[in-house]
Amino acid sequence: MKKLLIALLVSGGACALPAQAQTAQELLNDGKNADNVTTYGMGYHQRRHSPLNQINTNTVKRLVPVWSTSLNNLLGEQAQPLVYNGVMYVTNAAWTFAIDIATGRQIWRTAVDYDPDTPRVVCCGVSSKGSAILNGKLFRTTLDAHVVALDMKTGKQIWKEKFAEWKEGYSSIVAPLIANGVLITGMSGAEFGVRGFLDGWDPDTGKKLWRRYTTPAPGEKGSETWRADNEAYKRGGATTWVTGSYDPDLDLTYWGTGNAGPYTPKYRGGDSLYSASVIAVRPKTGEIVWHYQWTPNDIYDYDGVNENVIADLNVDGQMRKVIMHADRNGFFYVIDRANGQLLKAYPFGKVNWATHIDMKTGRPVETDIRKRMESGEEVELWPFSGTKNWAPMSFNPKTNTVYLNTINLAQNIKLSDIEYKPGQRYTGAVTRRVRPSGADTEGFHQAMDPLTGKLKWQIKLDDHVTQAGMLSTDGGLVFTGRMTGEFVAIEESSGKVLWQFKTSSGINSPAITYTFKGKQYVTVLSGVAGDARGNRARPEVPAGGSVWTFALMD
């Protein structure tokens, strides 16, 4: 692969390029102008819910594809597109695209310039989760640990900054966040002995404004939770590879952090803050205002990176400003987003490492699984890869329901000794996926009350788990996808699948909906991912990335 950075423009004026002058106010108002989708999560709150209802339970039978276009990529598609003034912006590991919404024709595409050896330090699939936009610039991260700003009109590079050395295990797939005028980026690499952090950047110049490490150095708050004799915090993980949500009124952004490294705890010591946690961060300074740790001293690889969805809920008779979080450890949490107080916590799938969360201490009450693992035993651990992995959920504020894709699998895990070597895996564990004999379910599409965990409905997935996100609408529909390529519309009230369309590959990305010239559209990326779940599907699901856009047949 040659290193290149090019912008290919549509010739002959096939597409008229509108002015790209979106503002910070338009980011705050994402969702109020149905023509645009300007943030990851379809709003700073990351609810992934739309008030659009042209496509509804009565009309969805007339939903048809209006265009599809190739993304020139075999490595998997996991990104959420953005839309502004009739142009769609799409990223994957290899390219950034601008696409005309009216026709599906490419306006420009810009290649990502990275060393072809880079994927060897990417843990769990070569991908991109998306981009951010502001003042005519598109921002994205790259596998080889850079942040890039492109001109939204032309695709030409405006600035590019290196934030770490990929040969030491650092990479990035995260969609950046712009909050209070600061471009915030996360990173990946917890399986390679990296030290996690968030970076704040000046979006105009690329100047780094601050860095907040997520594993504290000696003398910093939280450092007492790490061994002091071996500099374990420098290899402690706690990566930040799923985009944070943002409350502009509190001026706090909420980021989940990844697993501690290595899994074997003897190298780390205690709880290993701020791994497997949520941190509430000031966007201007990177200050951590409060934190809550989902899995103290995470030896299970449960991470804590999943999205933190913002809502105002009536909790036990009192309106509370909350975040909702479906953690990979199998527990669902509702937390006061102003101060980090735990309000609700309950299992939402099969869990055997803990019985419950102690509401007084906020800590999990663990079973004997941890002691057995630390003694060297191979154990069957529930859940595996998270009851919910990174695939984002949706929250409908009118029905007070969350919609999520879950996993129903175990793993056998055995801790082992490990020596740190830069750029090599640093987990200290041997694992293998387990589907219990006779089990007929890999995972579920499900709708759930976020305060109680009571299921509204549940749909079995008997062949493959899905890493597609959820999108709910006021049309009474929930859209999601499947690893085998089906894009489906589910009736919100009943869980009945009302419509589906087979795309060209597996769906591992969150859909969006928007309007163009008064008509509602739905778009999703198709392209089976290169992670372990996608690889299991590849014998029956062809690779190849593409964008699919749907609307009602007139």
Side-chain angles (χ1 to χ4, degrees):
M1 171 181 172
K2 293 182 178 180
K3 292 187 175 183
L4 65 143
L5 183 61
I6 60 175
L8 303 176
L9 297 177
V10 172
S11 62
C15 303
L17 285 173
Q20 306 293 345
Q22 80 289 350
T23 64
Q25 189 62 42
E26 288 177 295
L27 302 184
L28 289 169
N29 292 337
D30 193 12
K32 295 181 180 179
N33 179 354
D35 287 350
N36 299 329
V37 177
T38 58
T39 60
Y40 187 81
M42 298 180 61
Y44 278 139
H45 45 63
Q46 293 203 21
R47 294 174 193 161
R48 298 187 180 275
H49 177 81
S50 171
L52 296 177
N53 60 11
Q54 286 181 15
I55 303 169
N56 56 49
T57 55
N58 293 321
T59 62
V60 70
K61 59 181 174 290
R62 295 193 286 115
L63 194 63
V64 295
V66 294
W67 57 259
S68 178
T69 189
S70 170
L71 293 175
N72 194 27
N73 178 45
L74 296 175
L75 300 176
E77 307 297 337
Q78 296 185 339
Q80 176 212 295
L82 299 180
V83 173
Y84 188 74
N85 277 6
V87 179
M88 180 180 297
Y89 300 92
V90 178
T91 63
N92 57 35
W95 300 94
T96 308
F97 293 85
I99 300 169
D100 178 34
I101 283 176
T103 64
R105 293 192 65 178
Q106 175 184 298
I107 300 171
W108 55 256
R109 74 179 183 196
T110 300
V112 179
D113 177 21
Y114 66 86
D115 189 303
D117 287 338
T118 304
R120 72 173 174 81
V121 301
V122 179
C123 156
C124 308
V126 176
S127 69
S128 166
K129 296 292 191 287
S131 60
I133 56 175
L134 179 69
N135 293 337
K137 301 181 187 68
L138 179 146
F139 308 93
R140 64 161 299 161
T141 59
T142 67
L143 289 180
D144 63 343
H146 286 78
V147 184
V148 180
L150 303 179
D151 186 298
M152 290 173 65
K153 289 183 180 180
T154 66
K156 293 181 178 179
Q157 181 178 301
I158 298 173
W159 58 257
K160 180 179 181 179
E161 295 294 332
K162 180 178 180 178
F163 64 80
E165 176 53 62
W166 73 263
K167 294 177 183 178
E168 296 176 359
Y170 290 88
S171 61
S172 189
I173 59 175
V174 70
L177 170 71
I178 295 169
N180 199 358
V182 177
L183 174 70
I184 303 175
T185 57
M187 40 72 72
S188 308
E191 274 70 31
F192 291 85
V194 303
R195 184 184 184 192
F197 54 81
L198 291 171
D199 281 332
W201 309 85
D202 182 326
D204 287 329
T205 65
K207 178 184 177 182
K208 186 183 292 184
L209 303 176
W210 51 261
R211 170 166 290 183
R212 172 56 57 196
Y213 283 107
T214 51
T215 61
E220 295 177 345
K221 185 177 179 181
S223 61
E224 69 280 1
T225 65
W226 292 85
R227 278 181 57 174
D229 60 341
N230 65 353
E231 296 188 325
Y233 72 95
K234 290 185 176 180
R235 301 176 292 277
T239 48
T240 49
W241 53 272
V242 171
T243 308
S245 51
Y246 176 55
D247 183 333
D249 294 328
L250 296 175
D251 194 31
L252 289 174
T253 178
Y254 307 94
W255 288 75
T257 63
N259 57 276
Y263 308 165
T264 304
K266 66 181 181 181
Y267 298 100
R268 294 183 282 104
D271 286 352
S272 301
L273 289 173
Y274 295 94
S275 68
S277 301
V278 55
I279 52 176
V281 176
R282 293 281 182 219
K284 284 291 188 183
T285 64
E287 172 197 2
I288 297 177
V289 175
W290 60 258
H291 77 279
Y292 175 84
Q293 191 169 41
W294 317 113
T295 311
N297 192 5
D298 178 15
I299 69 173
Y300 312 110
D301 185 28
Y302 278 151
D303 278 336
V305 295
N306 288 353
E307 71 281 4
N308 297 287
V309 177
I310 289 173
D312 295 345
L313 297 181
N314 186 324
V315 182
D316 298 329
Q318 181 181 355
M319 290 302 299
R320 304 292 292 262
K321 295 179 179 293
V322 307
I323 55 172
M324 296 174 287
H325 177 92
D327 198 71
R328 284 176 54 170
N329 70 11
F331 288 90
F332 193 98
Y333 300 82
V334 179
I335 289 180
D336 188 306
R337 66 179 184 268
N339 56 29
Q341 179 187 356
L342 178 65
L343 302 176
K344 298 287 182 181
Y346 54 83
F348 65 109
K350 183 175 179 179
V351 176
N352 73 348
W353 69 276
T355 58
H356 63 284
I357 307 298
D358 187 313
M359 295 302 295
K360 291 183 179 179
T361 66
R363 297 178 68 89
V365 178
E366 298 196 39
T367 64
D368 64 349
I369 292 289
R370 177 184 294 273
K371 290 181 178 179
R372 290 165 56 193
M373 288 176 61
E374 290 182 344
S375 72
E377 181 181 345
E378 181 182 65
V379 303
E380 183 177 285
L381 177 66
W382 286 83
F384 160 67
S385 196
T387 300
K388 188 184 89 65
N389 207 281
W390 72 271
M393 64 182 176
S394 172
F395 171 68
N396 185 334
K398 294 183 178 179
T399 63
N400 279 329
T401 303
V402 291
Y403 313 93
L404 58 167
N405 288 316
T406 63
I407 301 171
N408 185 53
L409 294 170
Q411 69 172 328
N412 281 10
I413 181 169
K414 179 180 174 68
L415 299 180
S416 61
D417 293 336
I418 188 73
E419 179 182 356
Y420 172 71
K421 295 180 181 179
Q424 296 187 23
R425 291 183 73 90
Y426 183 63
T427 61
V430 177
T431 64
R432 57 188 177 91
R433 171 183 181 268
V434 177
R435 181 171 179 173
S437 178
D440 64 350
T441 306
E442 293 264 320
F444 300 94
H445 304 311
Q446 65 187 51
M448 188 174 77
D449 183 324
L451 294 177
T452 66
K454 182 180 179 181
L455 291 175
K456 187 172 186 176
W457 46 258
Q458 193 176 62
I459 302 171
K460 285 185 178 182
L461 300 172
D462 57 9
D463 50 2
H464 300 285
V465 300
T466 179
Q467 291 294 86
M470 289 286 199
L471 166 67
S472 59
T473 74
D474 278 359
L477 297 171
V478 179
F479 290 92
T480 190
R482 293 177 179 166
M483 194 71 78
T484 44
E486 292 82 9
F487 186 47
V488 300
I490 303 168
E491 186 173 44
E492 188 282 329
S493 61
S494 68
K496 180 182 179 181
V497 175
L498 299 181
W499 172 92
Q500 69 178 30
F501 178 86
K502 178 72 168 63
T503 65
S504 52
S505 186
I507 296 178
N508 310 273
S509 59
I512 59 170
T513 188
Y514 51 92
T515 54
F516 180 67
K517 295 184 177 180
K519 188 167 187 174
Q520 184 182 357
Y521 291 81
V522 182
T523 292
V524 71
L525 306 190
S526 176
V528 65
D531 60 9
R533 290 164 290 277
N535 287 336
R536 284 194 294 273
R538 280 179 182 262
E540 60 185 287
V541 180
S546 56
V547 186
W548 289 84
T549 292
F550 302 84
L552 295 177
M553 181 171 55
D554 294 327

